[in-house]
Amino acid sequence: MIEALHGTARAMVSRPRGILAADESIGTMSSRLEKVGVAATADNRRDYREMLVTTPELHEGISGVILSDETFNQKLSDGNTFPLAVHALNILPGIKVDTGAKDLALSPGEKITEGLDGLRERLRDYVSRGARFAKWRAVITIGEGRPTERALRANAHALARYAALCQESVLVPIVEPEVLMDGDHTIERCAEVTRAALEYLLAELDDAGVDLAGTVLKPNMVVPGTTSGQQASPEEIAEATVTTLRAVLPETLAGVAFLSGGQSPEVATANLAAMQKHETPWPLTFSFGRALVDPALKAWHGDSALISAGQQALAGRVQPNSAAVA
Ligand code: 5MM
């Protein structure tokens, strides 16, 4: 059981591959489809995800795909379910199991991610239908008086309870404590908050008995806030990010797979490439959503005659990220 967890975790972060985050909730996916003129129907969400996962040779740069509950239960046009189809394509199927970030009581402007009720049973069901790993995202905001210790502790505790339940079911947990880029904070403030969020998380994972060699961390890169006016080069971002990670993460962690957080595809790739110049005890790879799929969504925009164009656009983002971590 432990060996299976470790082997899956290692495979998820094995060079030159990263993870495709295609687990947008129904609400997020619907608004992204509508933005490119596609009706927000379950069939269109399915067609879009089918276009992504059937991209030729996707497995060369992608080790795993994170699916949402809706997609996990849908079938491709050949009749296979998404998890089984992804598995047949030599890619590990994963499942987002949180039920979203809700307002944290008595903490204006802060969020707590929900989804622990009934999670053990849901995980067992996902495993029986092919899931090999799971994902839970916590959202941390930077602002006046934020984040509070309450928000950091509550989100870290929920992530740790989720991760322990995953490992009990032999699913590798991706733990994602995302410090948002929104705000006018400096890169130094982002580093401070990212470090605090990771310290709370590592303490809670330890308390919960979570095995780090069977865990993948999905953090934000350390960057200036989007309205700060501060510019940082990929080298500065890589230096700040790796310094922060090294200060907190034990060497036993299976690996780090960054989120893109709203950075443009090219910037996210340049930052990821700059990280590789630093020596770290864990592989540093990608688990991007928007930075991988946005060009594909625009190229396809719901036209069945443009499936190949969408797939080429996805391959055009997977390739440089894969090259960056090779
Ligand atoms: C793909 O989007 C994921 C699900 O988001 P919602 O539940 O809010 O719809 C999201 O967790 C994503 O995996 C991470 O934010 C990383 O994606 P980006 O676009 O930041 O790389």
Side-chain angles (χ1 to χ4, degrees), residues 20-29 32 49 66 96 98-101 135-137 139 176 178 218 258-263 287-294:
L20 169 60
D23 59 312
E24 297 88 348
S25 54
I26 290 176
T28 303
M29 194 64 249
R32 291 191 184 156
R49 266 65 177 257
I66 316 174
K96 185 252 293 295
D98 67 67
T99 55
K135 191 200 87 174
W136 179 290
R137 170 174 172 250
V139 177
E176 180 180 1
E178 177 173 5
K218 177 168 174 168
F258 291 101
L259 59 90
S260 56
Q263 302 177 77
S287 174
F288 297 159
R290 289 161 287 179
L292 284 176
V293 301
D294 278 359

Tab-separated table of all heavy atoms in Angstrom, residues 20-29 32 49 66 96 98-101 135-137 139 176 178 218 258-263 287-294, ligand 1:
chain	number	residue	atom	x	y	z
A	20	LEU	N	-1.894	17.943	-15.886
A	20	LEU	CA	-2.876	18.835	-16.519
A	20	LEU	C	-4.060	19.010	-15.567
A	20	LEU	O	-4.731	18.034	-15.215
A	20	LEU	CB	-3.347	18.218	-17.849
A	20	LEU	CG	-4.552	18.850	-18.538
A	20	LEU	CD1	-4.301	20.321	-18.890
A	20	LEU	CD2	-4.916	18.069	-19.802
A	21	ALA	N	-4.301	20.250	-15.136
A	21	ALA	CA	-5.444	20.537	-14.252
A	21	ALA	C	-6.648	20.899	-15.118
A	21	ALA	O	-6.770	22.030	-15.586
A	21	ALA	CB	-5.099	21.674	-13.295
A	22	ALA	N	-7.505	19.896	-15.350
A	22	ALA	CA	-8.699	20.105	-16.182
A	22	ALA	C	-9.936	19.910	-15.310
A	22	ALA	O	-10.954	19.372	-15.758
A	22	ALA	CB	-8.697	19.127	-17.356
A	23	ASP	N	-9.852	20.347	-14.046
A	23	ASP	CA	-10.881	20.036	-13.058
A	23	ASP	C	-11.734	21.249	-12.697
A	23	ASP	O	-12.251	21.335	-11.587
A	23	ASP	CB	-10.233	19.477	-11.787
A	23	ASP	CG	-9.237	20.456	-11.163
A	23	ASP	OD1	-8.390	20.997	-11.907
A	23	ASP	OD2	-9.306	20.688	-9.940
A	24	GLU	N	-11.874	22.182	-13.635
A	24	GLU	CA	-12.733	23.340	-13.346
A	24	GLU	C	-14.112	22.843	-12.905
A	24	GLU	O	-14.681	21.923	-13.504
A	24	GLU	CB	-12.898	24.213	-14.588
A	24	GLU	CG	-11.620	24.841	-15.104
A	24	GLU	CD	-10.879	23.944	-16.098
A	24	GLU	OE1	-11.227	22.749	-16.210
A	24	GLU	OE2	-9.951	24.440	-16.757
A	25	SER	N	-14.653	23.491	-11.881
A	25	SER	CA	-16.007	23.154	-11.434
A	25	SER	C	-16.999	23.539	-12.538
A	25	SER	O	-16.632	24.264	-13.480
A	25	SER	CB	-16.321	23.913	-10.149
A	25	SER	OG	-16.091	25.295	-10.364
A	26	ILE	N	-18.231	23.082	-12.425
A	26	ILE	CA	-19.226	23.353	-13.476
A	26	ILE	C	-19.362	24.864	-13.686
A	26	ILE	O	-19.396	25.348	-14.825
A	26	ILE	CB	-20.584	22.699	-13.108
A	26	ILE	CG1	-20.457	21.178	-13.202
A	26	ILE	CG2	-21.708	23.212	-14.029
A	26	ILE	CD1	-21.683	20.399	-12.767
A	27	GLY	N	-19.375	25.631	-12.586
A	27	GLY	CA	-19.529	27.089	-12.707
A	27	GLY	C	-18.362	27.736	-13.440
A	27	GLY	O	-18.555	28.527	-14.375
A	28	THR	N	-17.138	27.395	-13.046
A	28	THR	CA	-15.952	27.986	-13.688
A	28	THR	C	-15.873	27.577	-15.155
A	28	THR	O	-15.630	28.409	-16.038
A	28	THR	CB	-14.670	27.509	-12.967
A	28	THR	OG1	-14.773	27.850	-11.592
A	28	THR	CG2	-13.430	28.146	-13.548
A	29	MET	N	-16.097	26.285	-15.421
A	29	MET	CA	-15.992	25.809	-16.814
A	29	MET	C	-17.048	26.454	-17.683
A	29	MET	O	-16.791	26.834	-18.835
A	29	MET	CB	-16.137	24.278	-16.849
A	29	MET	CG	-15.724	23.651	-18.173
A	29	MET	SD	-13.966	23.886	-18.523
A	29	MET	CE	-13.983	25.024	-19.898
A	32	ARG	N	-16.050	29.950	-18.598
A	32	ARG	CA	-14.943	29.957	-19.582
A	32	ARG	C	-15.452	29.572	-20.969
A	32	ARG	O	-15.014	30.134	-21.982
A	32	ARG	CB	-13.807	29.048	-19.122
A	32	ARG	CG	-13.128	29.671	-17.906
A	32	ARG	CD	-11.833	29.053	-17.464
A	32	ARG	NE	-11.391	29.715	-16.234
A	32	ARG	CZ	-10.588	29.194	-15.337
A	32	ARG	NH1	-10.102	27.989	-15.502
A	32	ARG	NH2	-10.248	29.883	-14.259
A	49	ARG	N	-13.411	18.545	-22.772
A	49	ARG	CA	-12.453	17.697	-22.047
A	49	ARG	C	-12.021	16.509	-22.914
A	49	ARG	O	-10.861	16.078	-22.837
A	49	ARG	CB	-13.078	17.194	-20.741
A	49	ARG	CG	-12.778	18.029	-19.486
A	49	ARG	CD	-13.356	19.435	-19.533
A	49	ARG	NE	-13.126	20.192	-18.314
A	49	ARG	CZ	-14.064	20.412	-17.372
A	49	ARG	NH1	-15.295	19.944	-17.537
A	49	ARG	NH2	-13.763	21.129	-16.297
A	66	ILE	N	-6.148	15.961	-13.858
A	66	ILE	CA	-7.114	16.131	-12.762
A	66	ILE	C	-8.481	16.382	-13.388
A	66	ILE	O	-8.649	17.310	-14.192
A	66	ILE	CB	-6.750	17.311	-11.837
A	66	ILE	CG1	-5.252	17.326	-11.497
A	66	ILE	CG2	-7.595	17.247	-10.564
A	66	ILE	CD1	-4.813	18.561	-10.713
A	96	LYS	N	-10.645	15.941	-8.496
A	96	LYS	CA	-10.764	17.045	-7.526
A	96	LYS	C	-11.895	16.699	-6.569
A	96	LYS	O	-13.028	16.449	-7.008
A	96	LYS	CB	-11.079	18.341	-8.285
A	96	LYS	CG	-11.121	19.581	-7.414
A	96	LYS	CD	-12.523	20.120	-7.204
A	96	LYS	CE	-13.168	20.659	-8.455
A	96	LYS	NZ	-12.507	21.826	-8.986
A	98	ASP	N	-12.507	18.452	-3.402
A	98	ASP	CA	-13.091	19.491	-2.551
A	98	ASP	C	-14.371	19.991	-3.205
A	98	ASP	O	-14.591	19.797	-4.401
A	98	ASP	CB	-12.089	20.629	-2.291
A	98	ASP	CG	-11.750	21.428	-3.531
A	98	ASP	OD1	-12.657	22.124	-4.035
A	98	ASP	OD2	-10.599	21.363	-4.002
A	99	THR	N	-15.222	20.613	-2.397
A	99	THR	CA	-16.494	21.110	-2.950
A	99	THR	C	-16.500	22.636	-3.027
A	99	THR	O	-17.543	23.259	-3.119
A	99	THR	CB	-17.698	20.585	-2.131
A	99	THR	OG1	-17.519	20.942	-0.750
A	99	THR	CG2	-17.824	19.081	-2.251
A	100	GLY	N	-15.302	23.218	-2.964
A	100	GLY	CA	-15.191	24.652	-3.220
A	100	GLY	C	-14.838	25.469	-2.003
A	100	GLY	O	-14.963	25.030	-0.855
A	101	ALA	N	-14.346	26.682	-2.277
A	101	ALA	CA	-13.953	27.615	-1.219
A	101	ALA	C	-15.154	28.487	-0.858
A	101	ALA	O	-15.729	29.140	-1.722
A	101	ALA	CB	-12.780	28.468	-1.690
A	135	LYS	N	-7.161	15.827	-5.596
A	135	LYS	CA	-6.698	17.204	-5.395
A	135	LYS	C	-7.667	17.986	-4.526
A	135	LYS	O	-8.888	17.792	-4.615
A	135	LYS	CB	-6.574	17.920	-6.739
A	135	LYS	CG	-5.839	19.256	-6.614
A	135	LYS	CD	-6.107	20.191	-7.769
A	135	LYS	CE	-7.354	21.007	-7.516
A	135	LYS	NZ	-7.597	22.029	-8.529
A	136	TRP	N	-7.119	18.849	-3.681
A	136	TRP	CA	-7.915	19.739	-2.818
A	136	TRP	C	-7.196	21.081	-2.827
A	136	TRP	O	-5.990	21.142	-2.578
A	136	TRP	CB	-7.953	19.153	-1.413
A	136	TRP	CG	-8.701	19.922	-0.368
A	136	TRP	CD1	-8.349	21.111	0.201
A	136	TRP	CD2	-9.914	19.527	0.290
A	136	TRP	NE1	-9.265	21.480	1.163
A	136	TRP	CE2	-10.236	20.525	1.238
A	136	TRP	CE3	-10.756	18.415	0.178
A	136	TRP	CZ2	-11.352	20.450	2.064
A	136	TRP	CZ3	-11.867	18.331	1.000
A	136	TRP	CH2	-12.167	19.343	1.933
A	137	ARG	N	-7.950	22.149	-3.136
A	137	ARG	CA	-7.344	23.479	-3.232
A	137	ARG	C	-7.857	24.381	-2.125
A	137	ARG	O	-9.066	24.533	-1.946
A	137	ARG	CB	-7.693	24.089	-4.592
A	137	ARG	CG	-7.334	25.558	-4.759
A	137	ARG	CD	-7.603	25.963	-6.203
A	137	ARG	NE	-7.467	27.374	-6.436
A	137	ARG	CZ	-8.480	28.199	-6.689
A	137	ARG	NH1	-9.713	27.738	-6.723
A	137	ARG	NH2	-8.265	29.463	-6.906
A	139	VAL	N	-7.630	28.364	-0.644
A	139	VAL	CA	-7.392	29.702	-1.206
A	139	VAL	C	-7.023	30.659	-0.078
A	139	VAL	O	-7.776	30.826	0.879
A	139	VAL	CB	-8.672	30.210	-1.916
A	139	VAL	CG1	-8.459	31.624	-2.450
A	139	VAL	CG2	-9.055	29.266	-3.058
A	176	GLU	N	-2.971	21.627	-2.274
A	176	GLU	CA	-2.800	22.906	-2.989
A	176	GLU	C	-3.201	24.084	-2.098
A	176	GLU	O	-4.373	24.444	-2.030
A	176	GLU	CB	-3.669	22.892	-4.267
A	176	GLU	CG	-3.566	24.184	-5.079
A	176	GLU	CD	-4.424	24.187	-6.351
A	176	GLU	OE1	-5.125	23.191	-6.605
A	176	GLU	OE2	-4.384	25.185	-7.065
A	178	GLU	N	-3.178	27.625	-2.266
A	178	GLU	CA	-2.896	28.687	-3.253
A	178	GLU	C	-2.968	30.073	-2.611
A	178	GLU	O	-4.044	30.524	-2.206
A	178	GLU	CB	-3.874	28.633	-4.431
A	178	GLU	CG	-3.615	29.796	-5.406
A	178	GLU	CD	-4.418	29.756	-6.699
A	178	GLU	OE1	-5.279	28.859	-6.848
A	178	GLU	OE2	-4.198	30.636	-7.545
A	218	LYS	N	1.157	21.284	-4.446
A	218	LYS	CA	0.861	22.165	-5.583
A	218	LYS	C	0.787	23.605	-5.081
A	218	LYS	O	-0.278	24.106	-4.727
A	218	LYS	CB	-0.467	21.732	-6.233
A	218	LYS	CG	-0.909	22.623	-7.382
A	218	LYS	CD	-2.048	21.996	-8.185
A	218	LYS	CE	-2.581	22.960	-9.227
A	218	LYS	NZ	-3.466	22.330	-10.196
A	258	PHE	N	3.718	23.106	-9.619
A	258	PHE	CA	3.181	24.457	-9.457
A	258	PHE	C	1.859	24.666	-10.180
A	258	PHE	O	1.651	24.144	-11.281
A	258	PHE	CB	4.178	25.491	-10.001
A	258	PHE	CG	5.427	25.600	-9.182
A	258	PHE	CD1	6.591	24.992	-9.596
A	258	PHE	CD2	5.420	26.314	-7.985
A	258	PHE	CE1	7.748	25.084	-8.832
A	258	PHE	CE2	6.574	26.412	-7.219
A	258	PHE	CZ	7.738	25.794	-7.641
A	259	LEU	N	1.003	25.507	-9.590
A	259	LEU	CA	-0.165	26.041	-10.291
A	259	LEU	C	0.292	27.266	-11.079
A	259	LEU	O	1.372	27.817	-10.822
A	259	LEU	CB	-1.265	26.401	-9.289
A	259	LEU	CG	-0.933	27.427	-8.204
A	259	LEU	CD1	-1.245	28.839	-8.642
A	259	LEU	CD2	-1.674	27.119	-6.917
A	260	SER	N	-0.513	27.718	-12.050
A	260	SER	CA	-0.095	28.903	-12.820
A	260	SER	C	-0.740	30.175	-12.288
A	260	SER	O	-0.174	31.266	-12.465
A	260	SER	CB	-0.381	28.715	-14.314
A	260	SER	OG	-1.730	28.412	-14.568
A	261	GLY	N	-1.916	30.082	-11.684
A	261	GLY	CA	-2.479	31.183	-10.903
A	261	GLY	C	-2.938	32.415	-11.664
A	261	GLY	O	-3.152	33.451	-11.062
A	262	GLY	N	-3.018	32.333	-13.000
A	262	GLY	CA	-3.424	33.506	-13.772
A	262	GLY	C	-2.256	34.148	-14.514
A	262	GLY	O	-2.431	35.151	-15.208
A	263	GLN	N	-1.053	33.583	-14.387
A	263	GLN	CA	0.075	34.069	-15.196
A	263	GLN	C	-0.184	33.683	-16.650
A	263	GLN	O	-0.840	32.680	-16.927
A	263	GLN	CB	1.384	33.397	-14.760
A	263	GLN	CG	1.740	33.608	-13.303
A	263	GLN	CD	3.017	32.850	-12.933
A	263	GLN	OE1	4.101	33.272	-13.245
A	263	GLN	NE2	2.859	31.720	-12.273
A	287	SER	N	1.592	21.810	-12.653
A	287	SER	CA	0.218	21.290	-12.622
A	287	SER	C	-0.676	22.460	-13.023
A	287	SER	O	-1.507	22.919	-12.239
A	287	SER	CB	-0.149	20.761	-11.229
A	287	SER	OG	-1.514	20.387	-11.205
A	288	PHE	N	-0.428	22.961	-14.231
A	288	PHE	CA	-1.122	24.167	-14.678
A	288	PHE	C	-2.531	23.851	-15.186
A	288	PHE	O	-2.779	22.793	-15.751
A	288	PHE	CB	-0.356	24.835	-15.829
A	288	PHE	CG	1.022	25.339	-15.487
A	288	PHE	CD1	1.954	25.551	-16.502
A	288	PHE	CD2	1.399	25.619	-14.174
A	288	PHE	CE1	3.227	26.030	-16.219
A	288	PHE	CE2	2.668	26.101	-13.884
A	288	PHE	CZ	3.590	26.302	-14.912
A	289	GLY	N	-3.424	24.807	-14.962
A	289	GLY	CA	-4.741	24.784	-15.595
A	289	GLY	C	-4.717	25.751	-16.757
A	289	GLY	O	-4.349	25.397	-17.886
A	290	ARG	N	-5.027	27.027	-16.444
A	290	ARG	CA	-5.153	28.036	-17.503
A	290	ARG	C	-3.931	28.153	-18.394
A	290	ARG	O	-4.058	28.346	-19.617
A	290	ARG	CB	-5.488	29.398	-16.870
A	290	ARG	CG	-6.891	29.464	-16.325
A	290	ARG	CD	-7.055	30.592	-15.337
A	290	ARG	NE	-6.405	30.313	-14.058
A	290	ARG	CZ	-6.382	31.152	-13.033
A	290	ARG	NH1	-6.941	32.341	-13.146
A	290	ARG	NH2	-5.803	30.811	-11.905
A	291	ALA	N	-2.732	28.053	-17.822
A	291	ALA	CA	-1.513	28.247	-18.625
A	291	ALA	C	-1.288	27.106	-19.626
A	291	ALA	O	-0.482	27.235	-20.533
A	291	ALA	CB	-0.294	28.401	-17.714
A	292	LEU	N	-2.032	25.997	-19.452
A	292	LEU	CA	-1.959	24.931	-20.463
A	292	LEU	C	-3.147	24.974	-21.417
A	292	LEU	O	-2.994	24.758	-22.617
A	292	LEU	CB	-1.936	23.549	-19.784
A	292	LEU	CG	-0.630	23.093	-19.128
A	292	LEU	CD1	-0.849	21.755	-18.423
A	292	LEU	CD2	0.496	22.966	-20.146
A	293	VAL	N	-4.332	25.265	-20.889
A	293	VAL	CA	-5.532	25.038	-21.714
A	293	VAL	C	-6.110	26.282	-22.377
A	293	VAL	O	-6.892	26.155	-23.331
A	293	VAL	CB	-6.656	24.352	-20.890
A	293	VAL	CG1	-6.188	23.013	-20.347
A	293	VAL	CG2	-7.188	25.244	-19.783
A	294	ASP	N	-5.761	27.469	-21.915
A	294	ASP	CA	-6.405	28.664	-22.491
A	294	ASP	C	-6.244	28.755	-24.013
A	294	ASP	O	-7.229	28.996	-24.726
A	294	ASP	CB	-5.891	29.945	-21.812
A	294	ASP	CG	-6.613	30.227	-20.495
A	294	ASP	OD1	-7.514	29.437	-20.133
A	294	ASP	OD2	-6.269	31.207	-19.814
B	1	5MM	C1	-8.637	23.997	-13.192
B	1	5MM	O1	-9.134	24.819	-12.150
B	1	5MM	C2	-9.148	24.190	-10.869
B	1	5MM	C3	-10.532	24.175	-10.279
B	1	5MM	O2	-10.987	25.476	-10.051
B	1	5MM	P1	-12.519	25.736	-9.542
B	1	5MM	O3	-12.915	24.609	-8.651
B	1	5MM	O4	-12.386	27.040	-8.828
B	1	5MM	O5	-13.361	25.816	-10.767
B	1	5MM	C4	-8.119	24.892	-9.958
B	1	5MM	O6	-8.082	24.346	-8.681
B	1	5MM	C5	-6.780	24.707	-10.596
B	1	5MM	O7	-6.428	23.346	-10.576
B	1	5MM	C6	-5.693	25.463	-9.892
B	1	5MM	O8	-6.114	26.767	-9.532
B	1	5MM	C7	-4.518	25.606	-10.843
B	1	5MM	O9	-4.980	26.183	-12.041
B	1	5MM	P2	-4.199	27.416	-12.629
B	1	5MM	O10	-5.069	27.928	-13.758
B	1	5MM	O11	-4.041	28.402	-11.503
B	1	5MM	O12	-2.879	26.820	-13.102
